């Protein structure tokens, strides 16, 4: 090609241009034709963000519909890490972490997540806090409407209700135990976000609607719960006990009308409380029941060995069995007591003597029938079944302390159920805390009827009730449980607490308890009181029985139970001849 041949040069130039244009045209055909769908989907994925749509959590109410836990509007704080400038990250962390009470490292991680357009920083923020966050004007930080959990009654029944943590999950009590029922099912929404972080109105928008959670209707009565909580709190403080609990039950239905404990906490600010304060010792703490357990031994020997309230026993203040010494709580001369007198005076030695009329297997089966060694079924997390080994695992001497309530352990609700069974004429009705569920419109679906089983005969239950009335006389161990105008049946318990440091009883303190029911001639209410490691006075008749009287008196009045129309039967304490 020569300089003097311009036609050839033009032709070559045109060929080169045509070649380049053909490359562009081919690439354009590839992008807009052959691979157009692939690139379009990739572009959409870069703009699409999936947003959770939280379900409304179900309410928790007492038996009369008073709200104990409810859901209100709140805001979620989120970040678009792509929009957050690296130089602004530290300033955002320093502003948001203390304002929202968050871990700075968690905030930094959320706003620094690579290749992400959406990260939650925190859920359940109050609307006024969300407004403060928006007012800061940080690019890449935004808010979304959602819900948060509030507890209008504050600490009332808090250990039963539990709380919801910052992630919207049940963190204790029924909030945790029945989280699946309460939580419902969250929905979701996919929206297109522009480069500047704005929602594209006409962009792709897919969603799945949330399903609201169901509410819980409880058997608790707020006024009775408040009284029980006040009474046990005052006594825990007065005795400097580690903890205490009160349970009130209707023996005919199994309904738990109050379940109070001390110390407690405010679920609206659960972070300020200790794990121990947030626990529920009424079901989570196993303890040796002591003399309150003697009613089971009484039921067994009366049903299977023909023992009656008048059966005489010669009772010294101590005896030896298998080389081990067993003794009463106080020294006394050898006495000739009736079996009713043994129960009224809470004699360990007398109880052992009576228990020798049955074999260990019989005693074990009666304990199982009364509910020992099995869960109560109240849906509260962390419930202990206690310890009740089969006789094959008992040592040569275990049957003797088991007869008077040691070397076996229960939780307070199990023990309350024992007395409810006796009060209900020998028929055990499973304890019930949740009486039904409600939908978003408040319509109630009743819970299934609680399980029932006959444990002892009606006659045996009546005889034990008559004997338990002797406990609250001046000759018994709990005259402090007497309520003017009403016949009261009950039993004290004072058991040594195991000391985990030495795996012995030395230095472990005592568990003081009282369980009883009224009116004894027509039982309608059962009250169980437990105090762990009270200082100073520690006998159940001295520190637990007064709490029983306080709570039971209030319950009888508020439930409008008329005074007893008959006098208490005379209990023969000492045998004749």
């Amino acid at each position: 090609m020569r300089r003097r041949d311009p036609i050839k040069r033009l032709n070559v130039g045109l060929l080169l241009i045509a070649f380049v244009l053909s490359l562009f045209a081919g690439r354009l055909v590839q992008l807009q034709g052959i691979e157009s769908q692939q690139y379009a989907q990739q572009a959409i994925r870069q703009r699409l963000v999936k947003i959770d749509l939280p379900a409304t959590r179900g309410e928790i109410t007492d038996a009369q519909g008073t709200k104990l836990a409810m859901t209100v509007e709140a805001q979620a704080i989120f970040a678009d890490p792509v929009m957050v400038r690296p130089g602004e990250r530290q300033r955002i962390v320093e502003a948001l972490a203390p304002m929202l009470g968050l871990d700075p490292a968690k905030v930094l991680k959320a706003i620094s997540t690579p290749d992400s357009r959406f990260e939650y920083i925190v859920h359940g923020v109050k609307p006024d806090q969300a407004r403060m966050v928006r007012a800061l004007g940080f690019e890449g930080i935004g808010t979304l409407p959602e819900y948060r959990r509030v507890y209008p009654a504050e600490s009332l029944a808090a250990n039963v209700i539990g709380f919801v943590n910052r992630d919207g999950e049940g963190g204790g009590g029924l909030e945790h135990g029945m989280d699946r029922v309460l939580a419902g099912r969250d929905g979701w929404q996919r929206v297109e976000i522009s480069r500047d972080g704005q929602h594209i109105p006409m962009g792709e928008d897919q969603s799945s609607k949330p399903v609201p959670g169901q509410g819980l209707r409880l058997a608790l009565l707020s006024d009775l719960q408040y009284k029980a909580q006040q009474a046990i709190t005052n006594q825990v403080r007065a005795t400097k006990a580690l903890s205490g609990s009160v349970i009130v039950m209707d023996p005919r239905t199994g309904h738990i009308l109050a379940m109070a404990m001390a110390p407690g906490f405010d679920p609206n600010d659960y972070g300020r409380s200790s794990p121990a304060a947030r626990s529920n010792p009424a079901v989570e703490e196993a303890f040796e029941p002591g003399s309150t357990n003697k009613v089971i031994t009484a039921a067994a020997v009366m049903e299977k060995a023909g023992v009656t309230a008048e059966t005489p026993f010669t009772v010294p203040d101590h005896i030896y069995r298998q080389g081990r010494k067993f003794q009463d709580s106080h020294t006394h001369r050898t006495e000739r007591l009736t079996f009713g007198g043994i129960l009224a005076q809470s004699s360990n030695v007398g109880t052992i003597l009576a228990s020798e009329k049955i074999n260990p297997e019989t005693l074990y089966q009666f304990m199982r029938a009364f509910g020992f060694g099995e869960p109560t079924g109240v849906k509260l997390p962390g419930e202990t079944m206690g310890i009740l080994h089969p006789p094959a695992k008992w040592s040569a001497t275990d049957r003797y302390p088991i007869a008077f309530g040691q070397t076996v352990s229960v939780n307070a609700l199990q023990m309350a159920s024992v007395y409810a069974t006796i009060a209900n004429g020998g028929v055990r009705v499973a304890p019930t805390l949740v009486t039904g569920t409600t939908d978003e419109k408040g319509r109630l679906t009743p819970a299934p009827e609680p399980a029932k089983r006959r444990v002892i005969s009606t006659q045996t239950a009546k005889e034990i009730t008559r004997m338990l009335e002797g406990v609250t006389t001046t000759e018994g161990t709990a005259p402090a449980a007497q309520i003017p105008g009403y016949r009261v049946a009950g039993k004290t318990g004072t058991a040594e607490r195991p000391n985990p440091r030495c795996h012995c009883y030395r230095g472990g303190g005592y568990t003081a308890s009282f369980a009883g029911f009224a009116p004894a001639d027509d039982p309608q209410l059962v009250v169980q009181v437990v105090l762990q490691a009270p200082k100073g006075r520690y006998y159940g008749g001295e520190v637990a029985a007064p709490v029983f009287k306080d709570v039971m008196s209030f319950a009888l009045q508020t439930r409008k139970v008329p005074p007893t129309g008959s006098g208490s039967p005379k209990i023969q304490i000492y045998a004749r001849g």
Side-chain angles (χ1 to χ4, degrees), residues 104 130-131 246 261 344 354 384 462 496 512 517 527-528:
R131 284 193 294 270
V246 176
M261 57 240 28
T384 175
K462 286 182 178 180
E496 293 179 285
F517 47 89
V527 174
Q528 159 87 23

Side-chain angles (χ1 to χ4, degrees), residues 56-114:
T56 305
R57 195 174 183 87
E59 296 179 339
I60 302 177
T61 67
D62 76 352
Q64 297 170 334
T66 302
K67 294 179 181 180
L68 300 174
M70 58 187 293
T71 299
V72 298
E73 291 185 3
Q75 297 278 310
I77 311 300
F78 72 92
D80 179 350
V82 171
M83 297 296 296
V84 177
R85 294 191 297 270
E88 285 283 285
R89 289 173 182 168
Q90 192 57 40
R91 197 161 72 90
I92 293 173
V93 170
E94 291 174 355
L96 297 187
M99 179 188 298
L100 302 174
L102 301 175
D103 180 0
K106 180 180 178 181
V107 179
L108 182 61
K109 180 181 178 182
I111 65 177
S112 307
T113 305

Side-chain angles (χ1 to χ4, degrees), residues 1-192:
M1 191 169 58
R2 296 177 182 177
R3 188 179 296 274
R4 63 177 178 270
D5 191 355
I7 298 299
K8 288 185 177 181
R9 291 201 306 272
L10 182 60
N11 289 337
V12 170
L14 289 174
L15 285 173
L16 289 174
I17 291 171
F19 177 72
V20 171
L21 289 175
S22 68
L23 290 178
F24 281 114
R27 182 58 174 162
L28 191 62
V29 170
Q30 181 187 17
L31 292 176
Q32 293 189 343
I34 301 173
E35 299 178 358
S36 62
Q37 288 284 65
Q38 176 184 344
Y39 285 103
Q41 290 298 322
Q42 185 175 345
I44 289 176
R45 282 196 299 269
Q46 288 178 343
R47 298 194 305 271
L48 276 180
V49 170
K50 183 180 179 181
I51 299 174
D52 292 330
L53 299 177
T56 305
R57 195 174 183 87
E59 296 179 339
I60 302 177
T61 67
D62 76 352
Q64 297 170 334
T66 302
K67 294 179 181 180
L68 300 174
M70 58 187 293
T71 299
V72 298
E73 291 185 3
Q75 297 278 310
I77 311 300
F78 72 92
D80 179 350
V82 171
M83 297 296 296
V84 177
R85 294 191 297 270
E88 285 283 285
R89 289 173 182 168
Q90 192 57 40
R91 197 161 72 90
I92 293 173
V93 170
E94 291 174 355
L96 297 187
M99 179 188 298
L100 302 174
L102 301 175
D103 180 0
K106 180 180 178 181
V107 179
L108 182 61
K109 180 181 178 182
I111 65 177
S112 307
T113 305
D115 302 321
S116 174
R117 297 302 307 270
F118 188 90
E119 295 291 330
Y120 279 112
I121 296 176
V122 65
H123 293 277
V125 173
K126 295 179 181 179
D128 57 345
Q129 285 183 303
R131 284 193 294 270
M132 292 170 63
V133 171
R134 290 193 295 268
L136 293 172
F138 289 128
E139 192 172 5
I141 304 298
T143 64
L144 286 173
E146 57 173 23
Y147 307 100
R148 70 182 181 91
R149 201 66 159 169
V150 296
Y151 303 88
E154 299 178 343
S155 63
L156 187 72
N159 302 74
V160 176
I161 304 302
F163 62 94
V164 172
N165 61 29
R166 286 186 175 274
D167 293 326
E169 301 167 343
L174 291 171
E175 293 278 28
H176 177 75
M178 300 197 71
D179 187 62
R180 290 187 178 181
V181 175
L182 290 162
R185 187 172 67 248
D186 289 346
W188 53 267
Q189 183 179 21
R190 285 193 179 94
V191 298
E192 286 190 64

Side-chain angles (χ1 to χ4, degrees), residues 451-532:
K452 299 179 182 180
R453 66 171 181 250
R454 178 162 290 282
V455 177
I456 56 177
S457 68
T458 303
Q459 183 58 36
T460 299
K462 286 182 178 180
E463 275 295 286
I464 293 176
T465 297
R466 187 168 70 90
M467 293 161 65
L468 290 176
E469 286 193 73
V471 175
T472 62
T473 66
T474 54
E475 293 182 298
T477 57
Q482 294 178 7
I483 300 173
Y486 294 89
R487 288 169 56 180
V488 175
K491 185 72 189 75
T492 56
T494 306
E496 293 179 285
R497 282 168 48 91
N499 187 341
R501 289 178 293 183
C502 66
H503 301 289
C504 63
Y505 288 113
R506 188 175 60 255
Y510 294 86
T511 297
S513 61
F514 185 89
F517 47 89
D521 57 330
D522 182 21
Q524 297 188 41
L525 293 165
V526 171
V527 174
Q528 159 87 23
V529 181
V530 179
L531 287 160
Q532 296 292 353

